[in-house]
Amino acid sequence: MLLTMLFVLLLGMIVLGVPVAIALAGSSAVFILVEGRVPDVVVIHRMINGVDSFPLLAIPFFILAGNLMNAAGITERIFDFAKSIFGWMRGGLGHVNVGASVIFAGMSGAAVADAGGLGAIEIKAMRDANYEPGFAVGITAASSTIGPIIPPSLPMVIYGVVAGASIGQLFAAGFIPGLLMAVALMAMIAIYARRRNYPVDQPFKLSILGFTFKRAFLSLMTPVIIVGGILTGAFTPTEAAIAACAWALILGLVVYRTLTLKRFLRVSFDTIETTAVVLFIVAAASIFAWILTSNRAPEQFAALILSISDNPWVVLLLINLILLIVGCFMETVAAITILTPVLLPIAMQMGVDPVHFGVIMVLNLMIGLLTPPIGMVLYVLSRVSGIPFERCMSATAPFLVPLFVVLFLITFIPALTMWLPTLIYR
């Protein structure tokens, strides 16, 4: 009964527009006061414990690294390089959009950073080339979800902390699914391009490829430093995030000289604000998750799921459905912190590796970024493009199809996710 009250309070506060972190902490505090078994000071202690984790230090540094790269003009060089590779294809700027997101994914690890920084450049270029604005926004939104799948990934850092899984293995597990997402989206673009007779944007020339590669070379070293350092054991994920910030500063201040003091201060304040929001949500969600765990909610939920079916395929389909629905209504960080202790034990009973389940969970919640009413990526792109939110939503809907196909593949073919981490770490 009290758990029902907890969820009703949470959903009611979210519907009323209360920020997610306050809704989580507030509903948890009311539950503890009504239950009366533990002192209310436990709320503060549990929230502090929720963010008292060394791996979580990677979050502000990865956010800062992504912001620095956007401010220093690194994203522009990446876009030009991707255009020299994919511009010769019919509907070339659509393919460039996806290719640039794959490259930027190795630097930022956040879908919103991709949409807000690289997305602004991509949408402007596609509009200037007379592509339909809806198509430009739709493919930009869908391709931005690649960022948190290909390492580094902020959601996977949080999942790794909550689940006690290896962040390095999670990063390795995201490579192949991220590339599959890119291939699936490019196939969708090819269908659109043929139907709408989109042009070839730029003929392939080795001279242009060489020039843009040379211009972007040092920028392209960023994912090599981050991912290479983690996979070889030279860095922990947190140290890799710090190295990425240092490299971005060197490029912006010394090499390209595009990062002014004014921009640096703005980037720093943006990073502080975003980090505060993310960690506040983590802290609030940790007390909510503790209440669920201490009241044996995971066991009750597992019994409910398994009463429907004990077939692993059916159970995984149900878990995917739950994650997709939650992703529509709840912010990614909160969803991971709350649902991991509930759903991971069920998945493990079905023989799913925690690393494999982490990729499934993150991809589900990334799709949630493209769906109303939360749809954070859609809100960002609506602001960047000047297109109404409703039109952004309808334009993005067809590109959910290839993402669902990839989600189905990685759910039921574990080798797509587990081959690389098994090869490197086990």
Side-chain angles (χ1 to χ4, degrees):
M1 183 66 184
L2 285 176
L3 281 176
T4 303
M5 180 200 74
L6 177 69
F7 282 104
V8 169
L9 271 174
L10 174 64
L11 292 174
M13 293 171 80
I14 290 174
V15 168
L16 291 173
V18 177
V20 172
I22 296 174
L24 287 165
S27 58
S28 300
V30 170
F31 178 92
I32 287 174
L33 286 170
V34 172
E35 187 185 40
R37 284 196 304 164
V38 294
D40 51 9
V41 73
V42 166
V43 173
I44 302 300
H45 283 295
R46 284 287 168 182
M47 288 178 71
I48 292 171
N49 287 339
V51 293
D52 185 17
S53 171
F54 178 75
L56 287 179
L57 281 174
I59 291 174
F61 287 109
F62 276 131
I63 292 171
L64 178 59
N67 288 342
L68 285 171
M69 289 165 198
N70 280 329
I74 290 172
T75 48
E76 213 170 306
R77 294 167 185 265
I78 292 169
F79 181 79
D80 290 341
F81 175 59
K83 188 175 180 181
S84 70
I85 298 175
F86 301 107
W88 60 271
M89 303 169 74
R90 184 178 290 276
L93 283 183
H95 297 289
V96 171
N97 195 317
V98 176
S101 291
V102 169
I103 298 170
F104 191 67
M107 305 181 188
S108 168
V112 174
D114 186 318
L118 193 58
I121 298 169
E122 292 166 339
I123 290 172
K124 183 181 183 303
M126 293 182 77
R127 274 181 159 173
D128 292 345
N130 295 320
Y131 282 82
E132 183 191 1
F135 175 76
V137 168
I139 189 57
T140 301
S143 67
S144 70
T145 60
I146 297 172
I149 305 299
I150 292 178
S153 166
L154 298 183
M156 285 189 188
V157 170
I158 294 166
Y159 171 84
V161 171
V162 176
S166 164
I167 294 172
Q169 289 185 34
L170 285 164
F171 281 6
F175 264 114
I176 293 175
L179 294 176
L180 281 174
M181 291 168 70
V183 170
L185 288 171
M186 284 182 167
M188 190 75 171
I189 293 165
I191 294 170
Y192 265 85
R194 185 170 294 278
R195 286 182 178 175
R196 299 184 179 181
N197 198 30
Y198 283 144
V200 171
D201 294 293
Q202 177 177 295
F204 180 80
K205 291 184 179 179
L206 278 175
S207 58
I208 296 175
L209 177 63
F211 172 76
T212 55
F213 176 73
K214 182 180 177 181
R215 188 167 174 264
F217 176 75
L218 293 176
S219 303
L220 296 172
M221 286 297 101
T222 309
V224 175
I225 292 169
I226 297 173
V227 180
I230 293 171
L231 297 184
T232 59
F235 300 141
T236 64
T238 303
E239 291 164 348
I242 296 169
C245 289
W247 184 243
L249 280 172
I250 291 169
L251 292 181
L253 294 173
V254 180
V255 181
Y256 301 147
R257 298 185 181 180
T258 50
L259 189 63
T260 62
L261 179 60
K262 185 178 179 181
R263 281 185 177 180
F264 177 72
L265 289 174
R266 188 179 73 244
V267 161
S268 299
F269 283 121
D270 286 347
T271 301
I272 291 168
E273 182 181 343
T274 306
T275 301
V277 170
V278 170
L279 292 183
F280 187 18
I281 292 171
V282 170
S286 65
I287 178 64
F288 194 93
W290 175 75
I291 289 173
L292 295 181
T293 305
S294 61
N295 285 272
R296 303 180 64 83
E299 290 89 337
Q300 296 174 36
F301 192 74
L304 175 63
I305 293 289
L306 295 174
S307 69
I308 298 172
S309 175
D310 59 359
N311 184 305
W313 281 62
V314 176
V315 171
L316 284 173
L317 280 173
L318 287 172
I319 288 174
N320 274 310
L321 184 61
I322 291 165
L323 287 169
L324 287 168
I325 293 171
V326 169
C328 293
F329 296 94
M330 187 171 286
E331 200 276 335
T332 301
V333 174
I336 291 173
T337 311
I338 292 169
L339 292 180
T340 299
V342 176
L343 297 178
L344 179 58
I346 303 173
M348 291 177 69
Q349 283 187 52
M350 298 296 104
V352 179
D353 189 282
V355 172
H356 179 204
F357 184 72
V359 179
I360 294 172
M361 174 174 266
V362 171
L363 180 50
N364 271 292
L365 296 175
M366 288 307 99
I367 292 173
L369 291 176
L370 308 180
T371 53
I374 300 298
M376 189 60 66
V377 165
L378 298 181
Y379 283 110
V380 170
L381 290 177
S382 177
R383 189 177 69 247
V384 166
S385 65
I387 295 175
F389 177 83
E390 295 77 12
R391 191 176 172 199
C392 289
M393 185 176 65
S394 61
T396 303
F399 294 99
L400 294 177
V401 174
L403 298 181
F404 281 128
V405 170
V406 174
L407 175 61
F408 182 86
L409 290 175
I410 68 166
T411 299
F412 297 109
I413 308 177
L416 293 174
T417 303
M418 296 305 300
W419 177 75
L420 200 54
T422 301
L423 182 68
I424 297 172
Y425 288 98
R426 300 180 184 179

